[in-house]
Amino acid sequence: GSGGHTTEMLKLLKPLDRDIFSPRVYFVAETDNFSVAKLKHFEQDRSDFLLYKVPRAREVGQSYLTSVFTLLKSMILILPMVYKQKVDLLLVNGPGTCVPICFWYMILQRMMVKIIYVESICRVKTLSSTCHILRRFVSATLVQWPELAEKYSGTVYIGKIL
């Protein structure tokens, strides 16, 4: 992709103490080389992180019918990656790629993992499909526009992170 979700994620991570939040595990769509480069630059002097390239659950513009098959493929290929990496906190921000990752962490860690979903700043009037899917299961759903928090119960307005 263009790295928009990655840019937002890095803005969220920048103020965190990476010595406390260590190791960090990143999941990036396998076709998103731009985001890989951004992450490596962000972590340039550190070695306490892992980067997994994962298949997309659905390509932009892909029909819902065919996305069933890419989602199943993604679920199968992501499982071993998630199984290897136990986490305390999963911070996700929008791309559909995070759905199978969240699903497997909820199953494998028996709902013990805290999952925080941060809706993209681009979502001004409605929640994304990914947010609609995950918001019933995550620990918190954070939005960057007060109108969204007013419109959708259970969301929390955090202000703009960009």
Side-chain angles (χ1 to χ4, degrees), residues 39-123:
L39 282 169
K40 287 182 178 178
H41 181 263
F42 179 75
E43 295 283 2
Q44 64 187 348
D45 297 325
R46 303 195 61 108
S47 60
D48 58 339
F49 73 97
L50 294 166
L51 175 62
Y52 287 102
K53 291 183 176 185
V54 299
R56 290 184 187 269
R58 180 175 178 259
E59 293 290 342
V60 174
Q62 182 179 5
S63 76
Y64 289 111
L65 178 63
T66 61
S67 67
V68 170
F69 300 106
T70 53
L71 174 62
L72 289 173
K73 174 186 172 189
S74 179
M75 297 283 294
I76 292 166
L77 295 175
I78 286 173
L79 175 59
M81 298 174 205
V82 170
Y83 185 77
K84 286 183 206 175
Q85 299 302 321
K86 303 296 182 244
V87 299
D88 299 315
L89 173 67
L90 194 59
L91 185 61
V92 296
N93 73 325
T97 303
C98 70
V99 172
I101 294 166
C102 291
F103 172 81
W104 284 126
Y105 272 112
M106 287 186 286
I107 297 296
L108 295 174
Q109 292 196 3
R110 304 212 185 353
M111 303 297 264
M112 296 303 290
V113 63
K114 297 267 188 226
I115 301 174
I116 299 175
Y117 183 92
V118 182
E119 184 64 284
S120 174
I121 195 164
C122 298
R123 303 307 301 203

Side-chain angles (χ1 to χ4, degrees), residues 135 148-155:
R135 71 190 215 112
L148 286 177
E150 292 168 12
K151 185 175 181 179
Y152 297 98
S153 64
T155 62

